[in-house]
Amino acid sequence: LVGAIGTDIWGNADQFRYVHKQLSGDGSIVARVDSVAQSDGWAKAGVMIRETLEPGSPHAMVVVTPSNGVSFQRRAEADAASASTADAGLAAPYWVKLTRTGNTFTAQHSEDGETWVDITPEAPVEIPMGTDVYVGLAVTSHNANVATMAQFSNITTTGNVTGQWADEGIGVEQPTGNTPETLYVALEDASGNVEAVANE
């Protein structure tokens, strides 16, 4: 379960919560977005590969929204405008997958986690990034004043993925709750292993 605020992951700079590891070279990430709360029709929850933790970083992501289907969104250059290719009419629970091969990014979605459908922009998506990048889960409420909550399961990665799961507020400080208690973000992989990340 990942809670987040943020105006959006869009435009020239982003505001969201990112739960991530490190990826060196080619790789992929898969997750089932079990639910995403309706803080806004464009609230987003999904998988992301990102060059840096700066708000304007180049990135690619595949997200599920409450009202606008599944979207392949990306920023090809630092601090530049974002682009989107969406498949409307899809809603959580839904599977999403993002694959990096060199500087080419491929986005896919699936009803069952077995049969994958490409999200097809007009041309192959090339996003130059350094060898070492970040890979993980991205959530934004698309509303600076209202938090959303997204639930993920069956999270898997391929490639040279290292490090412990880390929880980062990108572009905006993320809430830790209404009490001084520690907020935990729990991640579960396909084998049922659960790891909790404390955001203190």
PDB file of all heavy atoms in Angstrom, residues 101-132:
ATOM      1  N   THR A 101      15.561  -1.340 -22.948  1.00  0.00           N
ATOM      2  CA  THR A 101      16.561  -2.023 -23.766  1.00  0.00           C
ATOM      3  C   THR A 101      17.419  -0.939 -24.407  1.00  0.00           C
ATOM      4  O   THR A 101      16.974  -0.264 -25.342  1.00  0.00           O
ATOM      5  CB  THR A 101      15.900  -2.896 -24.854  1.00  0.00           C
ATOM      6  OG1 THR A 101      14.939  -3.762 -24.236  1.00  0.00           O
ATOM      7  CG2 THR A 101      16.945  -3.717 -25.588  1.00  0.00           C
ATOM      8  N   GLY A 102      18.616  -0.720 -23.873  1.00  0.00           N
ATOM      9  CA  GLY A 102      19.397   0.433 -24.308  1.00  0.00           C
ATOM     10  C   GLY A 102      18.660   1.697 -23.915  1.00  0.00           C
ATOM     11  O   GLY A 102      18.297   1.894 -22.749  1.00  0.00           O
ATOM     12  N   ASN A 103      18.399   2.553 -24.897  1.00  0.00           N
ATOM     13  CA  ASN A 103      17.619   3.763 -24.644  1.00  0.00           C
ATOM     14  C   ASN A 103      16.172   3.641 -25.120  1.00  0.00           C
ATOM     15  O   ASN A 103      15.445   4.632 -25.180  1.00  0.00           O
ATOM     16  CB  ASN A 103      18.276   4.974 -25.325  1.00  0.00           C
ATOM     17  CG  ASN A 103      19.564   5.385 -24.638  1.00  0.00           C
ATOM     18  OD1 ASN A 103      19.685   5.274 -23.422  1.00  0.00           O
ATOM     19  ND2 ASN A 103      20.525   5.848 -25.415  1.00  0.00           N
ATOM     20  N   THR A 104      15.754   2.427 -25.477  1.00  0.00           N
ATOM     21  CA  THR A 104      14.387   2.194 -25.949  1.00  0.00           C
ATOM     22  C   THR A 104      13.531   1.669 -24.806  1.00  0.00           C
ATOM     23  O   THR A 104      13.928   0.744 -24.089  1.00  0.00           O
ATOM     24  CB  THR A 104      14.377   1.191 -27.115  1.00  0.00           C
ATOM     25  OG1 THR A 104      15.187   1.694 -28.180  1.00  0.00           O
ATOM     26  CG2 THR A 104      12.959   0.983 -27.636  1.00  0.00           C
ATOM     27  N   PHE A 105      12.345   2.253 -24.649  1.00  0.00           N
ATOM     28  CA  PHE A 105      11.427   1.859 -23.587  1.00  0.00           C
ATOM     29  C   PHE A 105      10.141   1.309 -24.199  1.00  0.00           C
ATOM     30  O   PHE A 105       9.557   1.920 -25.085  1.00  0.00           O
ATOM     31  CB  PHE A 105      11.115   3.052 -22.680  1.00  0.00           C
ATOM     32  CG  PHE A 105      12.283   3.427 -21.811  1.00  0.00           C
ATOM     33  CD1 PHE A 105      13.313   4.213 -22.323  1.00  0.00           C
ATOM     34  CD2 PHE A 105      12.382   2.978 -20.509  1.00  0.00           C
ATOM     35  CE1 PHE A 105      14.411   4.548 -21.535  1.00  0.00           C
ATOM     36  CE2 PHE A 105      13.467   3.303 -19.717  1.00  0.00           C
ATOM     37  CZ  PHE A 105      14.478   4.090 -20.234  1.00  0.00           C
ATOM     38  N   THR A 106       9.726   0.153 -23.692  1.00  0.00           N
ATOM     39  CA  THR A 106       8.519  -0.513 -24.164  1.00  0.00           C
ATOM     40  C   THR A 106       7.531  -0.626 -23.016  1.00  0.00           C
ATOM     41  O   THR A 106       7.885  -1.083 -21.923  1.00  0.00           O
ATOM     42  CB  THR A 106       8.846  -1.925 -24.701  1.00  0.00           C
ATOM     43  OG1 THR A 106       9.845  -1.816 -25.714  1.00  0.00           O
ATOM     44  CG2 THR A 106       7.608  -2.588 -25.263  1.00  0.00           C
ATOM     45  N   ALA A 107       6.285  -0.215 -23.275  1.00  0.00           N
ATOM     46  CA  ALA A 107       5.238  -0.236 -22.260  1.00  0.00           C
ATOM     47  C   ALA A 107       4.189  -1.277 -22.624  1.00  0.00           C
ATOM     48  O   ALA A 107       3.794  -1.389 -23.791  1.00  0.00           O
ATOM     49  CB  ALA A 107       4.591   1.139 -22.152  1.00  0.00           C
ATOM     50  N   GLN A 108       3.725  -2.005 -21.609  1.00  0.00           N
ATOM     51  CA  GLN A 108       2.710  -3.026 -21.838  1.00  0.00           C
ATOM     52  C   GLN A 108       1.732  -3.073 -20.669  1.00  0.00           C
ATOM     53  O   GLN A 108       2.050  -2.651 -19.562  1.00  0.00           O
ATOM     54  CB  GLN A 108       3.372  -4.410 -21.989  1.00  0.00           C
ATOM     55  CG  GLN A 108       4.301  -4.517 -23.183  1.00  0.00           C
ATOM     56  CD  GLN A 108       5.060  -5.832 -23.187  1.00  0.00           C
ATOM     57  OE1 GLN A 108       5.829  -6.112 -22.275  1.00  0.00           O
ATOM     58  NE2 GLN A 108       4.818  -6.651 -24.197  1.00  0.00           N
ATOM     59  N   HIS A 109       0.538  -3.623 -20.943  1.00  0.00           N
ATOM     60  CA  HIS A 109      -0.432  -3.885 -19.876  1.00  0.00           C
ATOM     61  C   HIS A 109      -1.074  -5.235 -20.106  1.00  0.00           C
ATOM     62  O   HIS A 109      -0.980  -5.811 -21.199  1.00  0.00           O
ATOM     63  CB  HIS A 109      -1.472  -2.765 -19.773  1.00  0.00           C
ATOM     64  CG  HIS A 109      -2.260  -2.517 -21.028  1.00  0.00           C
ATOM     65  ND1 HIS A 109      -3.161  -3.422 -21.537  1.00  0.00           N
ATOM     66  CD2 HIS A 109      -2.288  -1.452 -21.868  1.00  0.00           C
ATOM     67  CE1 HIS A 109      -3.714  -2.922 -22.635  1.00  0.00           C
ATOM     68  NE2 HIS A 109      -3.180  -1.728 -22.865  1.00  0.00           N
ATOM     69  N   SER A 110      -1.716  -5.752 -19.059  1.00  0.00           N
ATOM     70  CA  SER A 110      -2.276  -7.098 -19.117  1.00  0.00           C
ATOM     71  C   SER A 110      -3.423  -7.237 -18.132  1.00  0.00           C
ATOM     72  O   SER A 110      -3.383  -6.680 -17.038  1.00  0.00           O
ATOM     73  CB  SER A 110      -1.185  -8.131 -18.784  1.00  0.00           C
ATOM     74  OG  SER A 110      -1.713  -9.437 -18.669  1.00  0.00           O
ATOM     75  N   GLU A 111      -4.431  -8.013 -18.520  1.00  0.00           N
ATOM     76  CA  GLU A 111      -5.524  -8.330 -17.597  1.00  0.00           C
ATOM     77  C   GLU A 111      -5.112  -9.388 -16.580  1.00  0.00           C
ATOM     78  O   GLU A 111      -5.592  -9.387 -15.451  1.00  0.00           O
ATOM     79  CB  GLU A 111      -6.743  -8.842 -18.374  1.00  0.00           C
ATOM     80  CG  GLU A 111      -7.493  -7.779 -19.135  1.00  0.00           C
ATOM     81  CD  GLU A 111      -8.786  -8.334 -19.722  1.00  0.00           C
ATOM     82  OE1 GLU A 111      -9.737  -8.554 -18.929  1.00  0.00           O
ATOM     83  OE2 GLU A 111      -8.836  -8.557 -20.934  1.00  0.00           O
ATOM     84  N   ASP A 112      -4.235 -10.321 -17.008  1.00  0.00           N
ATOM     85  CA  ASP A 112      -3.963 -11.486 -16.183  1.00  0.00           C
ATOM     86  C   ASP A 112      -2.490 -11.692 -15.826  1.00  0.00           C
ATOM     87  O   ASP A 112      -2.141 -12.646 -15.132  1.00  0.00           O
ATOM     88  CB  ASP A 112      -4.479 -12.748 -16.874  1.00  0.00           C
ATOM     89  CG  ASP A 112      -3.878 -12.937 -18.272  1.00  0.00           C
ATOM     90  OD1 ASP A 112      -2.910 -12.228 -18.624  1.00  0.00           O
ATOM     91  OD2 ASP A 112      -4.390 -13.798 -19.018  1.00  0.00           O
ATOM     92  N   GLY A 113      -1.595 -10.811 -16.311  1.00  0.00           N
ATOM     93  CA  GLY A 113      -0.183 -10.970 -16.032  1.00  0.00           C
ATOM     94  C   GLY A 113       0.501 -12.005 -16.908  1.00  0.00           C
ATOM     95  O   GLY A 113       1.673 -12.308 -16.699  1.00  0.00           O
ATOM     96  N   GLU A 114      -0.212 -12.527 -17.897  1.00  0.00           N
ATOM     97  CA  GLU A 114       0.353 -13.530 -18.798  1.00  0.00           C
ATOM     98  C   GLU A 114       0.338 -13.073 -20.251  1.00  0.00           C
ATOM     99  O   GLU A 114       1.322 -13.227 -20.968  1.00  0.00           O
ATOM    100  CB  GLU A 114      -0.401 -14.853 -18.648  1.00  0.00           C
ATOM    101  CG  GLU A 114      -0.243 -15.476 -17.263  1.00  0.00           C
ATOM    102  CD  GLU A 114      -0.984 -16.792 -17.127  1.00  0.00           C
ATOM    103  OE1 GLU A 114      -1.505 -17.296 -18.150  1.00  0.00           O
ATOM    104  OE2 GLU A 114      -1.045 -17.314 -16.009  1.00  0.00           O
ATOM    105  N   THR A 115      -0.788 -12.545 -20.699  1.00  0.00           N
ATOM    106  CA  THR A 115      -0.919 -12.055 -22.073  1.00  0.00           C
ATOM    107  C   THR A 115      -0.753 -10.541 -22.064  1.00  0.00           C
ATOM    108  O   THR A 115      -1.584  -9.831 -21.483  1.00  0.00           O
ATOM    109  CB  THR A 115      -2.291 -12.429 -22.666  1.00  0.00           C
ATOM    110  OG1 THR A 115      -2.427 -13.846 -22.616  1.00  0.00           O
ATOM    111  CG2 THR A 115      -2.402 -11.950 -24.098  1.00  0.00           C
ATOM    112  N   TRP A 116       0.321 -10.068 -22.709  1.00  0.00           N
ATOM    113  CA  TRP A 116       0.669  -8.654 -22.639  1.00  0.00           C
ATOM    114  C   TRP A 116       0.306  -7.932 -23.930  1.00  0.00           C
ATOM    115  O   TRP A 116       0.465  -8.475 -25.021  1.00  0.00           O
ATOM    116  CB  TRP A 116       2.159  -8.487 -22.347  1.00  0.00           C
ATOM    117  CG  TRP A 116       2.506  -8.961 -20.971  1.00  0.00           C
ATOM    118  CD1 TRP A 116       2.944 -10.199 -20.612  1.00  0.00           C
ATOM    119  CD2 TRP A 116       2.390  -8.213 -19.753  1.00  0.00           C
ATOM    120  NE1 TRP A 116       3.115 -10.277 -19.256  1.00  0.00           N
ATOM    121  CE2 TRP A 116       2.787  -9.073 -18.704  1.00  0.00           C
ATOM    122  CE3 TRP A 116       1.999  -6.909 -19.468  1.00  0.00           C
ATOM    123  CZ2 TRP A 116       2.808  -8.654 -17.378  1.00  0.00           C
ATOM    124  CZ3 TRP A 116       2.020  -6.500 -18.137  1.00  0.00           C
ATOM    125  CH2 TRP A 116       2.419  -7.361 -17.116  1.00  0.00           C
ATOM    126  N   VAL A 117      -0.172  -6.697 -23.788  1.00  0.00           N
ATOM    127  CA  VAL A 117      -0.549  -5.850 -24.920  1.00  0.00           C
ATOM    128  C   VAL A 117       0.366  -4.629 -24.921  1.00  0.00           C
ATOM    129  O   VAL A 117       0.487  -3.944 -23.904  1.00  0.00           O
ATOM    130  CB  VAL A 117      -2.020  -5.408 -24.815  1.00  0.00           C
ATOM    131  CG1 VAL A 117      -2.378  -4.449 -25.938  1.00  0.00           C
ATOM    132  CG2 VAL A 117      -2.947  -6.627 -24.811  1.00  0.00           C
ATOM    133  N   ASP A 118       0.999  -4.364 -26.058  1.00  0.00           N
ATOM    134  CA  ASP A 118       1.851  -3.181 -26.171  1.00  0.00           C
ATOM    135  C   ASP A 118       1.013  -1.913 -26.213  1.00  0.00           C
ATOM    136  O   ASP A 118      -0.038  -1.869 -26.852  1.00  0.00           O
ATOM    137  CB  ASP A 118       2.693  -3.233 -27.457  1.00  0.00           C
ATOM    138  CG  ASP A 118       3.790  -4.286 -27.397  1.00  0.00           C
ATOM    139  OD1 ASP A 118       4.068  -4.792 -26.300  1.00  0.00           O
ATOM    140  OD2 ASP A 118       4.351  -4.601 -28.461  1.00  0.00           O
ATOM    141  N   ILE A 119       1.473  -0.880 -25.526  1.00  0.00           N
ATOM    142  CA  ILE A 119       0.926   0.468 -25.700  1.00  0.00           C
ATOM    143  C   ILE A 119       1.788   1.099 -26.786  1.00  0.00           C
ATOM    144  O   ILE A 119       2.994   1.268 -26.602  1.00  0.00           O
ATOM    145  CB  ILE A 119       0.984   1.276 -24.398  1.00  0.00           C
ATOM    146  CG1 ILE A 119       0.253   0.531 -23.271  1.00  0.00           C
ATOM    147  CG2 ILE A 119       0.376   2.660 -24.602  1.00  0.00           C
ATOM    148  CD1 ILE A 119       0.364   1.200 -21.920  1.00  0.00           C
ATOM    149  N   THR A 120       1.188   1.427 -27.918  1.00  0.00           N
ATOM    150  CA  THR A 120       1.975   1.729 -29.115  1.00  0.00           C
ATOM    151  C   THR A 120       1.930   3.205 -29.489  1.00  0.00           C
ATOM    152  O   THR A 120       0.979   3.674 -30.111  1.00  0.00           O
ATOM    153  CB  THR A 120       1.484   0.889 -30.299  1.00  0.00           C
ATOM    154  OG1 THR A 120       0.057   1.046 -30.423  1.00  0.00           O
ATOM    155  CG2 THR A 120       1.771  -0.590 -30.058  1.00  0.00           C
ATOM    156  N   PRO A 121       2.971   3.955 -29.125  1.00  0.00           N
ATOM    157  CA  PRO A 121       3.112   5.319 -29.623  1.00  0.00           C
ATOM    158  C   PRO A 121       3.374   5.293 -31.133  1.00  0.00           C
ATOM    159  O   PRO A 121       3.589   4.235 -31.729  1.00  0.00           O
ATOM    160  CB  PRO A 121       4.328   5.861 -28.864  1.00  0.00           C
ATOM    161  CG  PRO A 121       4.557   4.902 -27.751  1.00  0.00           C
ATOM    162  CD  PRO A 121       4.042   3.580 -28.218  1.00  0.00           C
ATOM    163  N   GLU A 122       3.399   6.467 -31.747  1.00  0.00           N
ATOM    164  CA  GLU A 122       3.598   6.537 -33.191  1.00  0.00           C
ATOM    165  C   GLU A 122       4.989   6.072 -33.604  1.00  0.00           C
ATOM    166  O   GLU A 122       5.180   5.607 -34.723  1.00  0.00           O
ATOM    167  CB  GLU A 122       3.370   7.968 -33.680  1.00  0.00           C
ATOM    168  CG  GLU A 122       1.918   8.414 -33.539  1.00  0.00           C
ATOM    169  CD  GLU A 122       1.698   9.829 -34.023  1.00  0.00           C
ATOM    170  OE1 GLU A 122       2.666  10.452 -34.511  1.00  0.00           O
ATOM    171  OE2 GLU A 122       0.561  10.308 -33.914  1.00  0.00           O
ATOM    172  N   ALA A 123       5.964   6.207 -32.733  1.00  0.00           N
ATOM    173  CA  ALA A 123       7.331   5.794 -33.047  1.00  0.00           C
ATOM    174  C   ALA A 123       7.934   5.153 -31.807  1.00  0.00           C
ATOM    175  O   ALA A 123       7.433   5.357 -30.688  1.00  0.00           O
ATOM    176  CB  ALA A 123       8.163   7.004 -33.479  1.00  0.00           C
ATOM    177  N   PRO A 124       8.990   4.346 -31.954  1.00  0.00           N
ATOM    178  CA  PRO A 124       9.653   3.799 -30.766  1.00  0.00           C
ATOM    179  C   PRO A 124      10.083   4.913 -29.820  1.00  0.00           C
ATOM    180  O   PRO A 124      10.530   5.973 -30.256  1.00  0.00           O
ATOM    181  CB  PRO A 124      10.871   3.071 -31.356  1.00  0.00           C
ATOM    182  CG  PRO A 124      10.495   2.779 -32.766  1.00  0.00           C
ATOM    183  CD  PRO A 124       9.612   3.918 -33.201  1.00  0.00           C
ATOM    184  N   VAL A 125       9.924   4.664 -28.533  1.00  0.00           N
ATOM    185  CA  VAL A 125      10.247   5.683 -27.535  1.00  0.00           C
ATOM    186  C   VAL A 125      11.713   5.555 -27.142  1.00  0.00           C
ATOM    187  O   VAL A 125      12.113   4.556 -26.531  1.00  0.00           O
ATOM    188  CB  VAL A 125       9.328   5.560 -26.314  1.00  0.00           C
ATOM    189  CG1 VAL A 125       9.781   6.504 -25.213  1.00  0.00           C
ATOM    190  CG2 VAL A 125       7.886   5.854 -26.712  1.00  0.00           C
ATOM    191  N   GLU A 126      12.496   6.557 -27.514  1.00  0.00           N
ATOM    192  CA  GLU A 126      13.915   6.621 -27.177  1.00  0.00           C
ATOM    193  C   GLU A 126      14.111   7.688 -26.106  1.00  0.00           C
ATOM    194  O   GLU A 126      13.758   8.849 -26.305  1.00  0.00           O
ATOM    195  CB  GLU A 126      14.745   6.971 -28.414  1.00  0.00           C
ATOM    196  CG  GLU A 126      14.640   5.957 -29.551  1.00  0.00           C
ATOM    197  CD  GLU A 126      15.449   4.709 -29.288  1.00  0.00           C
ATOM    198  OE1 GLU A 126      16.477   4.802 -28.566  1.00  0.00           O
ATOM    199  OE2 GLU A 126      15.068   3.632 -29.778  1.00  0.00           O
ATOM    200  N   ILE A 127      14.653   7.282 -24.965  1.00  0.00           N
ATOM    201  CA  ILE A 127      14.932   8.225 -23.877  1.00  0.00           C
ATOM    202  C   ILE A 127      16.365   7.976 -23.423  1.00  0.00           C
ATOM    203  O   ILE A 127      16.633   6.991 -22.720  1.00  0.00           O
ATOM    204  CB  ILE A 127      13.955   8.056 -22.701  1.00  0.00           C
ATOM    205  CG1 ILE A 127      12.507   8.169 -23.175  1.00  0.00           C
ATOM    206  CG2 ILE A 127      14.247   9.092 -21.617  1.00  0.00           C
ATOM    207  CD1 ILE A 127      11.478   7.922 -22.096  1.00  0.00           C
ATOM    208  N   PRO A 128      17.289   8.831 -23.825  1.00  0.00           N
ATOM    209  CA  PRO A 128      18.679   8.646 -23.392  1.00  0.00           C
ATOM    210  C   PRO A 128      18.807   8.791 -21.884  1.00  0.00           C
ATOM    211  O   PRO A 128      18.354   9.771 -21.298  1.00  0.00           O
ATOM    212  CB  PRO A 128      19.427   9.762 -24.121  1.00  0.00           C
ATOM    213  CG  PRO A 128      18.532  10.164 -25.246  1.00  0.00           C
ATOM    214  CD  PRO A 128      17.142   9.963 -24.745  1.00  0.00           C
ATOM    215  N   MET A 129      19.393   7.777 -21.260  1.00  0.00           N
ATOM    216  CA  MET A 129      19.659   7.806 -19.823  1.00  0.00           C
ATOM    217  C   MET A 129      21.031   7.208 -19.583  1.00  0.00           C
ATOM    218  O   MET A 129      21.541   6.447 -20.406  1.00  0.00           O
ATOM    219  CB  MET A 129      18.618   7.000 -19.039  1.00  0.00           C
ATOM    220  CG  MET A 129      17.212   7.557 -19.038  1.00  0.00           C
ATOM    221  SD  MET A 129      16.167   6.647 -17.850  1.00  0.00           S
ATOM    222  CE  MET A 129      14.533   7.200 -18.336  1.00  0.00           C
ATOM    223  N   GLY A 130      21.616   7.532 -18.437  1.00  0.00           N
ATOM    224  CA  GLY A 130      22.862   6.905 -18.050  1.00  0.00           C
ATOM    225  C   GLY A 130      22.665   5.423 -17.785  1.00  0.00           C
ATOM    226  O   GLY A 130      21.535   4.923 -17.722  1.00  0.00           O
ATOM    227  N   THR A 131      23.757   4.715 -17.618  1.00  0.00           N
ATOM    228  CA  THR A 131      23.675   3.275 -17.362  1.00  0.00           C
ATOM    229  C   THR A 131      22.934   2.981 -16.068  1.00  0.00           C
ATOM    230  O   THR A 131      22.088   2.086 -16.002  1.00  0.00           O
ATOM    231  CB  THR A 131      25.097   2.675 -17.292  1.00  0.00           C
ATOM    232  OG1 THR A 131      25.755   2.918 -18.531  1.00  0.00           O
ATOM    233  CG2 THR A 131      25.044   1.176 -17.024  1.00  0.00           C
ATOM    234  N   ASP A 132      23.224   3.749 -15.024  1.00  0.00           N
ATOM    235  CA  ASP A 132      22.631   3.515 -13.699  1.00  0.00           C
ATOM    236  C   ASP A 132      21.431   4.423 -13.489  1.00  0.00           C
ATOM    237  O   ASP A 132      21.557   5.660 -13.533  1.00  0.00           O
ATOM    238  CB  ASP A 132      23.672   3.749 -12.614  1.00  0.00           C
ATOM    239  CG  ASP A 132      24.840   2.772 -12.732  1.00  0.00           C
ATOM    240  OD1 ASP A 132      24.609   1.630 -13.160  1.00  0.00           O
ATOM    241  OD2 ASP A 132      25.978   3.168 -12.405  1.00  0.00           O
TER     242      ASP A 132
END
